[in-house]
Amino acid sequence: MNRNKRILTVIPMTEEQRTRLEAAMPDSSFVYAEAEKVTQEQVRDADIILGNVPVSMLSQAEHLEWLHLNTAGFEQYSVPGVLRAGTLLTNSTGAYGKAVSEHLFVMALAIQKRLPAYRDNQRNHIWRDEGEVVSMSDARVLVLGTGDIGSHFASLAHAFGAYVIGVKRTPGTCPEGVDELHLMDDLDSLLPQADVVAAFLPSTAQTKGLFDREKLSLMKKGSIFVNGGRGDLVCTEDLCDVLESGHLLGAALDVTDPEPLPADHRLWEIPNAFVTPHISGYYHLPETLKNIVEICIENVRRYACGEEMRNNVK
């Protein structure tokens, strides 16, 4: 059993959660800090770090055996040289499904009913009918990435009566709420069929820039593009052009490229772009933080007992 470790925790926890965490690895020393206030000395001295600390501090983490991220995304931490050889990296996949999927689903519904336009009209004191709307109940919804978040989104769409087509990278069983399951090789033939295209894909060499002008133009006229995965899936200038052309009804984006989106970027001013600042998966839904802490405590117990870890990244 692993014992006598120096464990730095930057994930917010209640006293009850800290008690359970410490019981999972007795005889270890625990240091608690806020992620924004963590010091280089605290990172340097840690054998285990629970939570996202600045990447720039990790070069001095000479004793680090394991880093557990409070995020599902891990790209910046998996870059060669960030962690010393042999350091275990795990993440919090499975904690964010409800929060992110509900946020993006509501954004898609709002676009279908032209609610952003009505909100703009309200602010400007304009009483105006914005015209025809569409429904999720008879839509064909294409979900790219059928992991935790994508599967939750698919279930929401299916509950509304949509026909849901899932797309994943490797063959597997069809998740609940998905009517058909395809591989990424079928993407070009599926895009023209969909009323809503919802992407929840990680940032990889294969996904970066995947949705360029060509892919976006393959989408059905009057359809909606949703991105709740990574901003670099999309060529932002191409998306702006396609939105301004009127080919798409709108785009719901909780992620952009670049992030933060510059204040003078034209995407802000495009009426059918609905943008939120990458906040759907933070701690705003209390259940999300609870899920993260439970994954963290379970992984500490497994590490202490030498068991296989949950959510291994490398």
Side-chain angles (χ1 to χ4, degrees), residues 26-176:
D27 304 324
S28 292
S29 61
F30 289 79
V31 173
Y32 299 94
E34 295 179 31
E36 298 79 12
K37 298 179 180 179
V38 68
T39 68
Q40 181 66 74
E41 182 181 9
Q42 289 170 329
V43 172
R44 186 190 65 221
D45 292 343
D47 298 307
I48 296 170
I49 298 176
L50 306 175
N52 295 34
V53 297
V55 171
S56 60
M57 290 186 176
L58 290 169
S59 61
Q60 295 187 35
E62 298 177 358
H63 309 289
L64 190 62
E65 300 173 9
W66 167 37
L67 171 63
H68 178 80
L69 303 176
N70 54 264
T71 56
F74 57 84
E75 295 84 9
Q76 60 180 328
Y77 293 93
S78 63
V79 173
V82 170
L83 298 175
R84 70 187 184 94
T87 303
L88 180 66
L89 180 63
T90 58
N91 68 359
S92 293
T93 293
Y96 293 94
K98 178 189 261 189
V100 177
S101 63
E102 288 184 353
H103 183 97
L104 273 299
F105 189 73
V106 169
M107 290 179 76
L109 287 176
I111 291 173
Q112 287 185 326
K113 303 306 180 186
R114 301 188 184 275
L115 297 187
Y118 285 111
R119 180 63 173 180
D120 291 344
N121 290 348
Q122 178 183 340
R123 291 188 181 282
N124 292 309
H125 304 179
I126 298 172
W127 187 276
R128 181 171 65 209
D129 187 329
E130 292 293 338
E132 186 177 276
V133 299
V134 294
S135 174
M136 189 66 75
S137 65
D138 51 12
R140 291 177 71 87
V141 176
L142 185 63
V143 179
L144 311 183
T146 55
D148 178 44
I149 299 170
S151 293
H152 272 82
F153 189 94
S155 294
L156 290 170
H158 197 266
F160 265 66
Y163 186 84
V164 181
I165 303 169
V167 179
K168 58 182 302 186
R169 290 170 291 174
T170 56
T173 57
C174 197
E176 186 176 350

